[in-house]
Amino acid sequence: MKKILTPTDFSPVADNATKYAFEIAAAFKSKLFLYHVYNMKKSDYDLNFSNDEQPFRKKVKFNMEETIEKFKDIITQKKLKVKTKVYQGNIFSLFGRTVKKDGIELIVMGSKGASGLTKVLYGSVAANALEKSKIPLLVVPPKFTFKPLRHIVLAIGHKEISPDVLSTLQNLVTKFGAKVTVLTINNAPNHNTKREENLDLDGVEIIYREVPLSKSINNSISKFIKEEGDCDLLCMVRRQKSFIESIYKKSITKSQVHSNKVPLLILPE
């Protein structure tokens, strides 16, 4: 992972996710892209100033400069390469064109925010953007402090997963020497659904666990994470859905973002 993107709205939650991204970037010697995308409304436009001198634009640029100054010591200490950018656009441009143009391999962001990032994860536009993201997305809960990844839980169904989908997970477990627990939820207690096949993860200690369905799949996953107590990262695969499925089936990965207490890595299929 040579290029990591961290969207920011300059909130404390976004700052916390940025610090988490710094640790991942330092481990992989990655270049970090710290970007802020804004939508300038008519009410934000001041007719007393030219387009280039708009106070609103100057304010967001100042916020970015202030953020970099805040993290200057960490950036220097960890010898990080950080590129900042503030531009007018929407979340689709950030997760689409910008990600593709800059060759981003991982997005790290907070799960809540004071302004923009709230919409990113909870607004309808942003939720769709997350669903359409073509690259892995790591969501950091508020106030969660980074710690080396020693135990990763991979929550999956009973369908096979392509090795390409798991490449980011493979990179993380190799870099940090983490063990992986493969978790499946049995929603048919009268049937034997135990997963026997091995995942294609090289040199990784894998433990297979199956737990009964409790209220919902998301509730079952969260309950398992809480009871385990030592999970550093939850990983889920976002499956491609047909048009009919996208209408009638609730996204499990999207729902997990709302309630997760540990960082959540979403791998697009």
Side-chain angles (χ1 to χ4, degrees), residues 97-115:
R97 292 191 302 272
T98 300
V99 162
K100 185 176 181 180
K101 179 182 177 182
D102 291 332
I104 303 298
E105 299 170 73
L106 175 68
I107 300 171
V108 179
M109 62 190 301
S111 61
K112 292 181 182 178
S115 54

Side-chain angles (χ1 to χ4, degrees), residues 131 218 238 241 245 249-256:
E131 285 292 290
N218 294 114
R238 195 194 73 227
K241 296 193 290 288
E245 287 176 325
K249 287 192 175 182
K250 185 179 180 181
S251 170
I252 296 173
T253 52
K254 192 192 301 182
S255 298
Q256 194 66 37

Side-chain angles (χ1 to χ4, degrees), residues 77-141:
Q77 178 187 352
K78 294 184 178 297
K79 300 178 181 179
L80 295 170
K81 295 180 179 179
V82 180
K83 177 182 178 181
T84 63
K85 187 174 183 180
V86 174
Y87 71 97
Q88 185 171 355
N90 56 51
I91 203 64
F92 288 107
S93 69
L94 181 63
F95 281 83
R97 292 191 302 272
T98 300
V99 162
K100 185 176 181 180
K101 179 182 177 182
D102 291 332
I104 303 298
E105 299 170 73
L106 175 68
I107 300 171
V108 179
M109 62 190 301
S111 61
K112 292 181 182 178
S115 54
L117 290 187
T118 303
K119 298 177 183 178
V120 168
L121 287 175
Y122 297 104
S124 58
V125 173
N128 289 332
L130 289 178
E131 285 292 290
K132 294 177 181 179
S133 177
K134 303 296 184 183
I135 66 170
L137 174 71
L138 202 164
V139 184
V140 183

Side-chain angles (χ1 to χ4, degrees), residues 5-254:
L5 169 66
T6 301
T8 182
D9 66 349
F10 314 117
S11 69
V13 172
D15 285 349
N16 187 62
T18 300
K19 287 189 284 187
Y20 193 100
F22 285 157
E23 299 291 344
I24 299 295
F28 286 92
K29 294 182 171 57
S30 308
K31 183 175 182 179
L32 187 71
F33 295 72
L34 186 62
Y35 284 5
H36 174 77
V37 57
Y38 65 90
N39 182 15
M40 191 171 179
K41 302 175 184 177
K42 288 183 179 180
S43 58
D44 297 321
Y45 199 90
D46 192 332
L47 296 175
N48 296 312
F49 296 87
S50 66
N51 194 49
D52 293 337
E53 295 296 321
Q54 283 297 308
F56 182 88
R57 289 198 173 98
K58 286 192 172 185
K59 175 62 176 175
V60 292
K61 289 180 180 178
F62 173 78
N63 287 340
M64 181 62 81
E65 292 170 0
E66 196 175 44
T67 297
I68 287 297
E69 181 64 25
K70 186 191 310 180
F71 293 129
K72 182 175 65 174
D73 290 343
I74 298 177
I75 293 171
T76 301
Q77 178 187 352
K78 294 184 178 297
K79 300 178 181 179
L80 295 170
K81 295 180 179 179
V82 180
K83 177 182 178 181
T84 63
K85 187 174 183 180
V86 174
Y87 71 97
Q88 185 171 355
N90 56 51
I91 203 64
F92 288 107
S93 69
L94 181 63
F95 281 83
R97 292 191 302 272
T98 300
V99 162
K100 185 176 181 180
K101 179 182 177 182
D102 291 332
I104 303 298
E105 299 170 73
L106 175 68
I107 300 171
V108 179
M109 62 190 301
S111 61
K112 292 181 182 178
S115 54
L117 290 187
T118 303
K119 298 177 183 178
V120 168
L121 287 175
Y122 297 104
S124 58
V125 173
N128 289 332
L130 289 178
E131 285 292 290
K132 294 177 181 179
S133 177
K134 303 296 184 183
I135 66 170
L137 174 71
L138 202 164
V139 184
V140 183
K143 299 182 181 179
F144 189 93
T145 303
F146 176 85
K147 51 185 176 181
L149 306 179
R150 298 290 179 245
H151 182 198
I152 299 174
V153 173
L154 172 61
I156 56 178
H158 296 281
K159 295 181 180 179
E160 292 188 5
I161 303 175
S162 166
D164 292 340
V165 173
L166 297 174
S167 61
T168 298
L169 176 61
Q170 175 75 71
N171 289 336
L172 288 170
V173 296
T174 300
K175 177 62 67 175
F176 291 98
K179 67 178 181 180
V180 174
T181 295
V182 177
L183 174 67
T184 54
I185 308 301
N186 184 358
N187 56 2
N190 296 325
H191 296 82
N192 181 16
T193 59
K194 188 175 181 180
R195 191 184 186 94
E196 298 292 349
E197 70 271 21
N198 292 323
L199 290 177
D200 190 8
L201 291 172
D202 296 333
V204 180
E205 178 188 347
I206 301 179
I207 302 170
Y208 291 88
R209 294 283 303 277
E210 181 177 279
V211 297
L213 182 68
S214 172
K215 294 182 181 179
S216 68
I217 292 178
N218 294 114
N219 179 269
S220 302
I221 294 172
S222 297
K223 182 179 178 182
F224 179 84
I225 295 295
K226 183 178 180 180
E227 291 176 351
E228 284 292 292
D230 67 342
C231 175
D232 302 311
L233 178 71
L234 171 63
C235 182
M236 299 178 72
V237 176
R238 195 194 73 227
R239 299 283 187 179
Q240 292 286 350
K241 296 193 290 288
S242 67
F243 175 72
I244 297 298
E245 287 176 325
S246 66
I247 295 176
Y248 293 105
K249 287 192 175 182
K250 185 179 180 181
S251 170
I252 296 173
T253 52
K254 192 192 301 182

